[in-house]
Each structure stands twice: as C-alpha cells, then as structure tokens.
Amino acid sequence: MLVPISFALLALLALGGALMLLFRRDPVDGVLSLVVTMLALAGIYLQLADPVVAALQVIVYAGAIMVLFLFVTMFVRRAEERGPLGWDRPRFALASIVAACLLGLLVQAIGAFGGNTPTHPGPPAEIAAIAHSLFGEFLYPFELVSALLLVAMVGVVVLGRRGEESS
Amino acid sequence: MIGLVHYLVFAGILFCLGLFAVLTRRNAVTVLMGIELMLNAGNVNLVAFNRFVGSGVNGQIFALFIIVLAAAEAAVALAILLNIYRTYKHITVDEIHLLRG
C-alpha cells in the first residue's frame, strides 16, 4: 500500500514541476520547478531500488546541471520576461496536437506491449554488480565518455572566451 | 501494485511535456530544459525496464551514461547560448537567424 501512494505522490510532483516549466514565463521559475521534478525523479529511482542512479540524479542533475541553468538564466534574463505567458495560438495548437498524438501512440504501444510484462520486480541489483559491469564490460564506453567530457570542457572554455574582435 | 506499465506511462507523459516545451517556448533556456525533461523520461524508462524485465545492471549503466552525456550537452549548449546573448542581447529562438541562407 505504501508503494502506490509514494509513487503517485512522486509522479504528481514530477509532472507538476514539468507543468510549471511549461506555464510560467519567467525562466528562473522554470529552472526551480525543474529542480523539483529532478528530485521527484530521484525518489522514483529509489523506489525502483536504484540508489546509484538516484544519487547521481541528485548530485549531477539537481545539483550541477540545474545550477548551471540557473546561472545562465540569470545572466540572460530580461525584465519583460516576468508576468503572464503570452501564447502564440497557432503554435500552441500545433504543439498540443503533436504532443497529444505522440502520447496517444506511446500509451497504445505500452498497452499493446503491457500484456506480457511482469508486474512484480526482480531482486534489486547490488552496487558491486554495477561497479563490476561499469569497469569491466563497459570499460571502453566509460573511457570514451571521459574523453567526451574533456572535449566538451575544452569546447566550453573556447566558446566562453571573449573573442578578440568583440567589444 | 505498481507495475512496469505505470512507470512507462509516467515517462511517456513526461516526454510529451518536454516535447511541448521544446515546441512552444521561445526562450532558448526553456527549450533546453524541455530537452532535459525528455532525457529524464528516457532515463526513467531505462531504470524501470532494468528493474522489471532485465536481469543484469545494463539499464542502470545506460542511465548513468545518459546523465553524463546530458551534463556535457547542457554545458556546451549553455556556452553557445551565452555567445548568442553576447551577439544579439536576447535569446529568443524565433529571432536568431544568422545562419539562415
């Protein structure tokens, strides 16, 4: 009984944060509501017996990435971005249709697929198993990701540098 | 009891909300946040499938990789946004057409 209630609460919290992102004009509100979504998702990962991804979700997503978003948002925010959201009607209608169609297709696919899925989870994975897999089977992708992070870091430093020709 | 289907539907709704943000919002930072939302929906799917269907830890490993890739993507995209802001003094995606032919 406890699990369904906590899942419902966490899912509502996550979807509420996402809706706040959609319907608030001020991007700072959007970042803060997205932090709520990320923390709720960490709770859902914990519920799925996955403490490693949950911890990284809090540290990397809710911590690092969202703080980066917050800084950049505050750099580029303009005063007229407060107040109510002015919707562009044709765009709103088109986007609603696209998103609703996609959701319908997804739910239909999940329903068609859901007949033969287990409803009871297997045993939770050990953290040691994740470490063995990450540093054994997935060693090359792991090293590639570290190279990618280095490239991204150098790229960001180059991009962030003020060009000589600009004032 | 909460089954795999509940998690999948939840992730689908989250993905569509992210898609909606990407399609409707004109502030480039909000568009990026919509993309983050979609990546997170994919992550929920990976972890849920790993818990209910898979037997190993592959789903969790993929989720970890996606978190790292999202961090790299966000850093590069936000650096590009700051450069755009330096040039245009705004980041409204409709009005940025320097590369239009």
Side-chain angles (χ1 to χ4, degrees):
Chain A
M1 196 57 204
L2 201 59
V3 171
I5 291 174
S6 70
F7 173 75
L9 280 178
L10 289 169
L12 280 179
L13 208 55
L15 294 177
L19 283 172
M20 278 278 284
L21 167 70
L22 284 176
F23 293 108
R24 293 297 294 238
R25 185 165 185 206
D26 191 344
V28 172
D29 289 355
V31 176
L32 294 178
S33 57
L34 204 55
V35 171
V36 173
T37 299
M38 298 299 172
L39 292 176
L41 283 178
I44 284 181
Y45 294 146
L46 273 182
Q47 207 185 36
L48 282 164
D50 194 347
V52 179
V53 177
L56 277 172
Q57 176 86 5
V58 172
I59 295 169
V60 179
Y61 253 120
I65 297 182
M66 284 300 123
V67 169
L68 197 60
F69 267 100
L70 196 59
F71 270 116
V72 172
T73 305
M74 286 174 168
F75 269 129
V76 303
R77 183 162 67 153
R78 300 198 299 180
E80 67 264 24
E81 276 175 341
R82 288 160 216 165
L85 193 61
W87 286 105
D88 179 354
R89 291 220 173 254
R91 187 200 303 245
F92 180 80
L94 269 178
S96 308
I97 292 168
V98 169
C101 285
L102 181 66
L103 185 61
L105 285 175
L106 281 175
V107 168
Q108 198 190 9
I110 293 166
F113 160 87
N116 54 2
T117 53
T119 46
H120 294 292
E126 297 282 323
I127 293 177
I130 297 175
H132 279 298
S133 189
L134 189 59
F135 295 105
E137 191 185 353
F138 289 95
L139 185 61
Y140 285 118
F142 182 80
E143 295 297 336
L144 281 177
V145 161
S146 66
L148 176 105
L149 274 182
L150 180 68
V151 170
M153 195 175 72
V154 173
V156 167
V157 169
V158 171
L159 279 173
R161 199 183 43 158
R162 209 170 262 282
E164 284 80 19
E165 67 281 354
S166 68
S167 55
Chain B
M1 193 61 200
I2 300 289
L4 176 59
V5 173
H6 299 87
Y7 288 100
L8 294 186
V9 170
F10 164 69
I13 296 172
L14 207 59
F15 187 91
C16 288
L17 287 178
L19 180 71
F20 190 79
V22 171
L23 289 176
T24 54
R25 300 305 299 270
R26 274 173 283 183
N27 185 308
V29 175
T30 315
V31 172
L32 275 179
M33 286 193 281
I35 294 175
E36 296 293 328
L37 217 50
M38 289 155 84
L39 284 168
N40 268 290
N43 253 352
V44 171
N45 267 4
L46 282 174
V47 174
F49 271 117
N50 184 72
R51 181 92 172 100
F52 284 96
V53 181
S55 54
V57 292
N58 284 4
Q60 281 159 311
I61 304 271
F62 285 2
L64 298 185
F65 279 131
I66 286 184
I67 289 178
V68 175
L69 292 182
E73 170 253 320
V76 174
L78 289 173
I80 292 174
L81 273 190
L82 280 180
N83 266 353
I84 290 174
Y85 184 74
R86 225 177 260 159
T87 311
Y88 284 93
K89 304 295 172 215
H90 67 76
I91 50 165
T92 309
V93 287
D94 283 356
E95 293 160 22
I96 299 168
H97 34 64
L98 191 65
L99 289 181
R100 182 179 291 172

